[in-house]
Amino acid sequence: MGAVGTGVPRKEAKDKVTGNIKFVGDYISPGLMHARLVTGTYAHALLKNIQTAAAWRVPGVKAIVTGKDCSFLTGAYLEDRPPLAADKVRYYGEPVALVVADSELAAKQGAEEVRIEYEPLPAVNSVHDALRPGAPRIHENLGEYRRVKPVFPETNSNIADRVKVRKGDMGKGWAGSEITVEASFHLPQSDHVAMETRCVRAEIAPDGRVTIHSSSQAPFVIRKLISRYFLIDTGKITVIVPAVGGSFGGKAAVQLELLAYMASQAVGGRQVKLVNTREQEIISSPGRIGLDAEVRLGATKEGQLMAAEITYLVDGGAYSDIGAVMTKSIAADCTGPYKIDNVQCDALCVYTNHPYTTSYTGFGHASYTFAIERTLDMLAKKLKMDPWQLRRMNAIAPGDTSPTLTGLTTSNLGDTGKCLDRVKQLINWDEGQVVTGQDGKIRAKGLSALWKTSSTPTDARSGAILTFNPDGSLNIGVGAVEIGQGSKTNLAVMAAERLKMDVGKVHVMMEVNTHAHPEHFKTVASMTTFMAGRAVLEACDDIIHQLLSMASIVLRCSPEDLDVAGGRVFLTDNPNMYVDITELVHGYKYENGNSIGGQVIGRGSYIMRHLTEMDPETGKGNVGPGWTVGAEAVEVEFDPGDFTYKMLKAVAVLDAGKVINPRIAQAVVMGRMNMGLSLANREGLIYSGSGVVENASLRDYKIMRFAEQPQYTVEFIETPQIDAPYGARGLGEHGLIGMPAALGNALSAAARVELNQLPLLPETIWSVKEGRP
Amino acid sequence: MISFDFEYYRPDTAAEAAEIYQVLSGAGKNPLYYGGGTEIITMAQSNQLKPGAIIDIKQIPECNVFEVRNDEILIGACLNLNQAAEGNLFPLLSKTARGIADHGSRDKITIGGNICGKLIYREGVLPFLVADGEVVISGQNGAAARPLSEVFSQTMQLRPGEFITQLKVKRSYASVAFFSQKKTKQAKVDYPLLTVAALRQGDDLRVAFSGLCTFPFRSVNIEQDLNSRDLSWESRVNNALGRLPGPVLNDLRGSAAYRLFVLSGALRDMLTQLKGVGENVSNA
Amino acid sequence: MFQMLDIGPLELNVNGEKRTVVARPADTLLYALREHLGLTGTKNACETGDCDVCTVLIDGWPVKSCHMLAVEAVGHQVNTIEGIKGSPVQTAFLAKEAFQCGYCTPGYIVTAHALLTLHPDAEDEVINEWLAGNLCRCTGYQEIKEAVLMALGR
Ligand SMILES: Cc1cc2nc3c(=O)[nH]c(=O)nc-3n(C[C@H](O)[C@H](O)[C@H](O)COP(=O)(O)OP(=O)(O)OC[C@H]3O[C@@H](n4cnc5c(N)ncnc54)[C@H](O)[C@@H]3O)c2cc1C
Ligand code: FES
Ligand code: FES
């Protein structure tokens, strides 16, 4: 009855193709109140006055909340963000006020009537602007902010955090380098563009119990922060997350939930709904980091990498949110999956007057990978070496160490070399990187390798509770959210495998309820299969133990004589002697009425082990449980006449450890590849000179559409991670990571010019070719 | 969500429409004719437009005709762009219309609404500009056909209360060689960096543009340059580039310099495709 | 002349049933379907006509319900995802795993269902034209294409 490795359809599939599935915004309840955000129209300005009189006159308006009504600052690592701007706005679109009304219409009318007076301040419009001496200070009181976790803001600067990695000896590295290259890169901020915009409902019961419904990846963090900021016991807070309409990291940030709570509080606890418009989704809620990078690589003439000196400047926007962790994560994996013994990396999380940012699929890895992999292609050129060969010979392997000096083994590291080998075949690399066609069009390929470990807190945890229905079917209760990645189905597959039962008899619930389900850190970092999987397997083992011991009484034997499979507990040596688990799961009842055992309830939990913080001076530390590695390639057809191009093929080979569900794994990787190409090929926030975002709508912020995608091929290598469930490594984000770099390498080869910025528009290529700034 | 209220009227005849317009206008309701409504709804949501009443003209019979009558093709102003494209009576219009927005939007956007919209592109007008189209304008005093060249200058020059019921082009334009090219920043569904619609009438090329300046236009000067048969294509294109009727757009879709680069490519493509009769290929 | 001057009852024909909603002339069909009729299978993701998650069928044609006033639908047949049952498109989407979060899925199914009905012989060019309006951020579009081809019997 093997379920692992077979293509099990998603549990919620039927609901999704019939419109039956419910997202937070789909619940309509009588008496629901509506809140609407009023957002700032300057990137950097003092708030002189907020006039609400006209808004109060709108019939139906019941409350108006402004920054004056909330005295706390919030933040994941560094508490630097007021939930509503109080003294000044620090980015275009920052929430300034909240109008609560008895209808959506009145809330919008009220919001339109709020008048805000500003005194504009000079805006910091790039990371370089931010670091310039005398740059305007975005946070005057940076030094006084409360630090929730290790983070090192630098007073009197626009630096929220600085992470250093020092490995080996740079002097030696450079001395051994016969060839060096260096290059600078610029990647703009961008947006998640989950199709469901963020949405929350909040209510406060008369006895003080708080219920929040949110489209979130982090219900347990919401509970923690509501408790922290509003001084409510966590036990009195219930956070419920139904299905989520895409999130990609963006819904791991806690923002609207705090506002919705304040809105509800302002109307006596009544249930209030707050939903982002698309514009607010793009600018007011956090998006994706920008990155400016400088990379210098040294190698021997034979191509062995000797040294890497790297500066990463993360454009985290106006508030640090998860930016500090992302900066750490970028620094920890800063070289990509290559063996380099001498590494110096400085990664800075920089404040600008841009929209603030949070986690995003790939957690910063796609950004730095673009810089590293582009530099590698430039190095290959200088070495007159095949770019694939350069990667292959330097691919990191067991026995090497990571930039933060974690020892790499066959378990905690996948097989980069194998991935590169397979990608080479799939993209037909040997045909030649650049082929010019009869029609003058140029077909060109680009490569990228990738790796990523998770950067969870060192005590990240998960849990599972399994119960049975009278028909012997199983219910999985976990705190991990279904955001489209199919993880609930994967957990069902793992449980079915361990309990040797039909996966059709394993039920999962789309909803997560913090009161009913055990805590799961957050549904991020591709860690659901690992963490929740470990918990579910432990719970399965717990169940097996209970079933065997109860059955051993019924069948008068020792538990060791028994096995569980196909809904029965039976004697291993005589399967005809068995008891049906339906007779056991709610306690076994003898004919005379005597009963034993009680309900079978499986419990499992998991906590990360052996993780450490990074050393502030050297970066030394163990940041994640294992690296998923991979290689990707893109083939384009480029028109040298007008610099337009078509993406023909994209290939990914990832070391999955073990593929739990090929259907879902393929689909998820392909989706992230598409997103990576979309980011590289067209996306990016565009600012005016004063920091105003000019493309805050789907009319102007373009994402890839149907029929623009290349032909995708996804394959997996399986090098098991020993401590992971069935050996499965995280997969949820990795498809994205190498795509921008592979596209950049393909186009640079095709256009014979170094393309070191994103997005790769025809105009970008034209202007680099023309030597325009 | 539109946060203000308006009244909705759906007249059955053009006369009724013009009449209710007068009444509403007299009552200070600031009425707007309503075609597909895609622009009105979008702009009303952000309060860029605040009509007190809208007059939906989609029910008016003459606004929905699509036929060849005598030697003219009649195109109702309320045909949506998919109908206009799929009916294919005027191939240049079909091709140009297919480049506007996406299929679902084209089920709603009307040809009249596109031409009369506030958006700077109004790509739907290009085929009519090059085909010497006429517009039938209805108003208080009934309907009259006017040459488009007289009533379209950057925007439709309609008097209050007037609206377009139909567009007309000579049937012969359905069978001439034509060219329609839309260039975008990157995404296929996007506003144009540049759209060129052109056709060949006898030996002469006629050409109209959208996306280059803040308005769509056809320019006699540019046509003269492009038709200077004694010059090489390169010189014709270069001359044409110098005769644009206004500053070239420089916005988030592309810089002015890049637009000019794209324009010269598009003009070369056009010349390749629509070479004048008897034109010597070696001119290329 | 039909007119609607203020908030009031509107009779709509939705999924083959006569339904009365109390709406304003300025309410979009999307709003009326979701908030007044509880037909929340039709989603909202932009309200500017740029994503097609709100697509419904009007007399069989796919139209963005955020770009249509509820009052405009009077006299027309409105079909939403809830009214599409047992379409080969749904079967094909299930078979090809053509969705992840599912938020865009109703819009795709409605559009593809109309394509199947109106252009059963659609070639690639038509399929691409029809579906290019629907945004999906989760999938690679490839599986959606495969599902549509499967539904078309190709
Ligand atoms: C996603 C999307 C993408 C788009 N991309 C493009 C593009 O690339 N290029 C492009 O050109 N357009 C594009 N548009 C279309 C454009 O933005 C307008 O929405 C559209 O042209 C308006 O047409 P409508 O019929 O909906 O007009 P409406 O919204 O009904 O009306 C628009 C204006 O025209 C007036 N009007 C309407 N009909 C008449 C008439 N018969 N006589 C007189 N006045 C009339 C109205 O009073 C109003 O002022 C796009 C639209 C969308 C939704
Ligand atoms: S919500 Fe209607 S098109 Fe996006
Ligand atoms: S499946 Fe999530 S947007 Fe398409």
Side-chain angles (χ1 to χ4, degrees), chain A residues 195 245-246, chain C residues 99-105 108 135-139:
Chain A
M195 292 316 293
Chain C
F99 50 88
Q100 289 181 33
C101 79
Y103 201 80
C104 68
T105 315
Y108 270 103
L135 291 179
C136 172
R137 191 59 152 172
C138 296
T139 70

Side-chain angles (χ1 to χ4, degrees), chain A residues 8-10 12-14 16-19 21-23 25-26 28 104-105 191-197 244-246 248 273 278 360 483-485 663-664 667-668 670-672 674-675 678-679 683 698-699 701 703-707 709-712, chain C residues 24 31 34-36 38-51 53 67 81-82 84 90 93-97 99-106 108-109 127-128 131-146 148:
Chain A
V8 176
R10 282 163 193 281
E12 74 285 11
K14 257 279 171 50
K16 286 186 173 168
V17 298
T18 54
I21 195 145
K22 296 270 184 292
F23 300 92
D26 293 337
I28 294 153
E104 203 178 327
L105 177 64
D191 191 64
H192 304 83
V193 197
M195 292 316 293
E196 175 205 27
T197 63
V244 173
F248 318 110
K273 176 175 171 177
R278 178 55 65 184
Y360 192 106
I483 49 181
Q485 83 288 41
R663 266 172 85 108
I664 292 181
V668 166
M670 189 154 68
R672 297 305 78 77
N674 196 60
M675 196 168 184
S678 180
L679 281 167
E683 294 182 38
L698 294 183
R699 190 75 52 90
Y701 186 100
I703 66 170
M704 191 114 81
R705 279 180 189 268
F706 188 88
Q709 80 281 5
Q711 181 70 36
Y712 290 111
Chain C
R24 299 182 305 139
Y31 187 78
R34 286 179 56 84
E35 308 297 324
H36 297 317
L39 293 169
T40 56
T42 306
K43 306 294 179 208
N44 174 358
C46 74
E47 285 192 279
T48 52
D50 291 286
C51 75
V53 306
H67 262 176
I81 182 71
E82 287 90 347
I84 295 176
Q90 284 161 319
F93 266 64
L94 289 171
K96 296 290 178 187
E97 198 76 35
F99 50 88
Q100 289 181 33
C101 79
Y103 201 80
C104 68
T105 315
Y108 270 103
I109 295 208
I127 299 173
N128 292 349
L131 293 177
N134 297 69
L135 291 179
C136 172
R137 191 59 152 172
C138 296
T139 70
Y141 291 120
Q142 186 161 306
E143 53 281 51
I144 297 180
K145 178 78 177 264
E146 285 169 12
V148 174

Side-chain angles (χ1 to χ4, degrees), chain A residues 179 301-302 377-387 389-390:
Chain A
I179 307 278
K301 271 202 224 113
E302 290 71 39
D377 262 32
M378 293 163 74
L379 178 65
K381 206 185 215 175
K382 222 167 165 180
L383 288 163
K384 298 202 171 53
M385 195 173 164
D386 178 83
Q389 190 59 38
L390 177 66

Side-chain angles (χ1 to χ4, degrees), chain C residues 122-133:
Chain C
E123 295 291 329
D124 264 26
E125 199 188 328
V126 175
I127 299 173
N128 292 349
E129 183 186 351
W130 275 59
L131 293 177

Side-chain angles (χ1 to χ4, degrees), chain A residues 560-577:
Chain A
E560 286 77 51
D561 297 341
L562 297 170
D563 197 2
V564 185
R568 292 171 172 182
V569 184
F570 55 88
L571 271 146
T572 326
D573 54 323
N574 179 11
N576 288 331
M577 227 177 136

Side-chain angles (χ1 to χ4, degrees), chain A residues 243-318:
Chain A
V244 173
S247 48
F248 318 110
K251 291 172 182 167
V254 179
Q255 182 199 29
L256 298 191
E257 293 83 359
L258 303 178
L259 297 174
Y261 173 86
M262 291 192 284
S264 173
Q265 197 179 34
V267 292
R270 280 193 275 174
Q271 191 175 70
V272 178
K273 176 175 171 177
L274 174 61
V275 54
N276 268 350
T277 63
R278 178 55 65 184
E279 183 182 12
Q280 291 163 348
E281 185 74 6
I282 295 176
I283 54 171
S284 302
S285 285
R288 178 171 186 257
I289 58 165
L291 182 75
D292 280 65
E294 268 164 51
V295 179
R296 188 163 169 237
L297 293 179
T300 64
K301 271 202 224 113
E302 290 71 39
Q304 190 190 340
L305 292 173
M306 298 302 294
E309 190 179 312
I310 306 169
T311 309
Y312 291 135
L313 305 178
V314 171
D315 182 353

